[in-house]
Amino acid sequence: MSNSFTSDDENLENVFCFSNVHKEFVEKLYEHNNLVSPILFEIKRLTKNFTSNAQRITELYYQLLEKLLQIHKNEFKEINNIKAIKASTRKELYKRLHYAKDYIDSCYASQITLHELSLVALMNTSYFLRQYKKYFRITPYQYLMQRRLHKAAEMLDNTRLPVAEICAAVGYEDVSSFAKLFKKQFSFSPEVYRKRVL
């Protein structure tokens, strides 16, 4: 299998040649995407009749590996964009910042403090805030608000839950402040936003 890191000759010499790319994937949450998700869903569908589809599933596993390596290569570029002298420092900083982001993505409905996020990232609070903003170009609080509002919009699109229940489900206590923030983000109140998709 040819991959996008090395020449075909190098691949023939060493199937698992990664050139100068980090040898392991970074442990973090990975969202569904157009590269990997369709292959995963197809494998899942075919496994219902594994015996008849074994050959196709094997091919899909190789395609999946190729796509994962492509994601890994892009991740390597992101790591190298971090301002640090040593490669090991860049990688460690990348991992720790993503621990905090993943924590927000997983616990957005909870009351999350900056101090709590800095503990997750294993950094002191001011250094964490500075590095998070530098890397993601947004503060952790701003990202948390965006995450909540986008989840609320998704729930308005896909459920019939009342706005007050959605507000509580995404971590807001006050419906009116939630509605103001929602309108600022999406240019519509939650009620109007929902009507536009009906």
Side-chain angles (χ1 to χ4, degrees), residues 6-46:
T6 55
S7 71
D8 289 339
D9 289 340
E10 288 172 312
N11 285 325
L12 289 172
E13 289 296 319
N14 180 359
V15 179
F16 298 104
C17 180
F18 284 80
S19 183
N20 62 348
V21 177
H22 293 293
K23 301 291 190 263
E24 74 275 350
F25 287 89
V26 173
E27 186 179 332
K28 67 174 192 171
L29 295 178
Y30 291 87
E31 293 181 16
H32 280 292
N33 61 53
N34 292 332
L35 287 175
V36 171
S37 298
I39 299 171
L40 288 174
F41 294 138
E42 182 67 4
I43 290 171
K44 181 180 177 185
R45 187 185 69 76
L46 292 173

Side-chain angles (χ1 to χ4, degrees), residues 148-153 156 162-164 166-168 170-184 188-191:
R148 287 175 171 178
L149 293 170
H150 283 279
K151 184 62 179 177
L156 287 165
V163 172
I166 291 173
C167 169
V170 299
Y172 289 102
E173 294 174 6
D174 180 48
V175 178
S176 63
S177 63
F178 162 72
K180 286 176 188 171
L181 287 168
F182 191 93
K183 187 170 184 179
K184 186 176 180 183
F188 299 105
S189 69
E191 294 81 6

Side-chain angles (χ1 to χ4, degrees), residues 155-170:
M155 292 174 79
L156 287 165
D157 283 341
N158 300 314
T159 74
R160 299 305 307 147
L161 289 172
V163 172
E165 282 186 38
I166 291 173
C167 169
V170 299

Side-chain angles (χ1 to χ4, degrees), residues 1 14 44 58 67 88 106 137 151 183 189:
M1 177 189 79
N14 180 359
K44 181 180 177 185
T58 301
K67 300 302 182 188
S88 59
S106 301
R137 295 185 173 87
K151 184 62 179 177
K183 187 170 184 179
S189 69

Side-chain angles (χ1 to χ4, degrees), residues 102-112 144 148:
D102 292 349
Y103 187 81
I104 294 171
D105 287 333
S106 301
C107 305
Y108 61 85
S110 304
Q111 297 305 316
I112 302 172
L144 174 62
R148 287 175 171 178

